[in-house]
């Protein structure tokens, strides 16, 4: 028996059968989000998952968070280790309380999936302190300055406040962006969606521009990020993200 493309896409993305459509919202979700957005070729399904996970986590949406975390893990598009690394990147740009909730969901959905498969659901092992990177502060700050400039394409800020010294240079760029658990492209997708959610003008301009300038995300891919983001966080905020992408591209190629 053949199924309409939107039904098949829903099953592939969410790894469950679609619900019965009884409202205009459910119909539009089926026909537009799964019928038109998810099947588009401009981004991989994995890329779209990072954007979507960021949006539903930032929106504090319990059921969508449960559903998309489950789907990401159950499809094996993301490993458990990658999902936990996502939580840390997301925490930096969207806040620790929201990230705490997402990590709890990941733990519960992992057990659910493993149990359903008849597999061992033993908690994952403790991490070694060596994964925290160098504990020589001078070395860490030096690495942070270099990583900031590599990621953002801009001179690093001076370490003249707790925010820039302990936060940005020592931790965010001295450690988080250098962790091996996600690729830089993965981190950019999560970060771009996060700063678009946050209505943060300067970080939005900086991170969108840097993603395009570096080539980690092409302009065509960024346009697809905007559409995926708009479907899960709203077209008004998507408009601001698109404007930032267009302005950044014009500056780079003007």
């Amino acid at each position: 028996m053949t199924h309409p493309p939107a039904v098949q896409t829903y099953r592939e993305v969410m790894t469950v059968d679609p619900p019965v459509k009884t409202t205009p919202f459910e119909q539009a979700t089926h026909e537009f989000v799964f019928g038109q957005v998810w099947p588009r070729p401009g981004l991989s399904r994995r890329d779209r998952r990072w954007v979507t996970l960021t949006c539903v986590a930032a929106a504090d949406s319990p059921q969508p968070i449960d559903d998309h975390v489950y789907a990401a893990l159950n499809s094996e598009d993301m490993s458990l280790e990658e999902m936990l690394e996502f939580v840390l990147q997301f925490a930096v740009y969207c806040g620790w309380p929201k990230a705490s909730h997402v990590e709890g969901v990941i733990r519960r959905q992992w057990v659910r999936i493993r149990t359903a498969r008849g597999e061992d659901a033993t908690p994952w092992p403790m991490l070694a302190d060596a994964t925290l990177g160098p504990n020589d502060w001078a070395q860490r700050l030096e690495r942070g300055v270099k990583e900031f400039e590599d990621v953002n394409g801009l001179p690093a800020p001076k370490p003249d406040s707790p925010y820039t010294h302990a936060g940005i240079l020592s931790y965010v760029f001295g450690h988080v962006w250098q962790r091996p658990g996600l690729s830089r492209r993965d981190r950019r997708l999560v970060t771009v969606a996060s700063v678009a959610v946050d209505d943060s003008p300067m970080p939005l301009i900086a991170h969108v521009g840097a993603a395009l300038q570096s080539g980690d995300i092409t302009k065509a891919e960024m346009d697809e990020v905007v559409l995926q983001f708009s479907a899960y966080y709203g077209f008004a905020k998507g408009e601001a993200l698109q404007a930032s992408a267009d302005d950044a591209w014009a500056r780079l190629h003007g």
Side-chain angles (χ1 to χ4, degrees), residues 4 21 23 25 35 41 43 53 55 73 82 91 95 103 105 113-114 119-120 145 157 159 162 182 205 217 233 243:
K21 301 175 289 296
T23 67
F25 169 77
L43 290 175
L53 285 163
C55 289
L73 289 170
E82 289 171 328
E103 179 151 311
V105 173
I113 292 166
R114 302 281 284 192
E119 299 173 351
D120 183 15
V145 167
L182 294 176
I205 292 170
I217 301 175
Y233 212 85

Side-chain angles (χ1 to χ4, degrees), residues 80-234:
L80 174 63
E81 291 78 11
E82 289 171 328
M83 289 290 281
L84 295 174
E85 196 66 37
F86 156 75
V87 172
L88 179 59
Q89 187 78 15
F90 175 80
V92 167
Y93 289 96
C94 270
W96 297 87
K98 291 176 185 284
S100 177
H101 176 74
V102 175
E103 179 151 311
V105 173
I106 291 171
R107 291 176 182 272
R108 292 191 295 274
Q109 296 299 340
W110 178 247
V111 171
R112 171 191 173 190
I113 292 166
R114 302 281 284 192
T115 302
R117 295 177 181 178
E119 299 173 351
D120 183 15
T122 302
W124 43 88
M126 301 290 286
L127 297 177
D129 289 347
T131 63
L132 296 174
N135 59 10
D136 179 310
W137 298 117
Q139 179 187 1
R140 193 168 180 125
L141 285 168
E142 183 180 352
R143 283 162 47 98
V145 167
K146 184 179 186 304
E147 188 72 9
F148 182 98
E149 294 175 348
D150 287 348
V151 169
N152 293 286
L154 298 168
K158 295 179 180 179
D160 57 1
S161 73
Y163 171 76
T164 56
H165 183 224
I168 295 298
L169 297 179
S170 177
Y171 184 65
V172 176
F173 292 96
H175 177 57
V176 175
W177 273 88
Q178 298 182 50
R179 289 174 61 89
L182 294 176
S183 69
R184 180 170 290 186
R185 175 184 169 84
D186 290 338
R187 294 187 186 279
R188 286 205 191 275
L189 289 167
V190 174
T191 302
V192 164
S194 294
V195 295
V197 161
D198 291 339
D199 296 318
S200 307
M202 290 308 297
L204 182 59
I205 292 170
H207 282 288
V208 169
L212 292 170
Q213 183 177 7
S214 67
D216 289 340
I217 301 175
T218 68
K219 180 57 166 62
E221 290 172 332
M222 187 66 76
D223 291 343
E224 290 294 330
V225 168
V226 173
L227 178 60
Q228 190 76 19
F229 174 88
S230 299
Y232 283 93
Y233 212 85

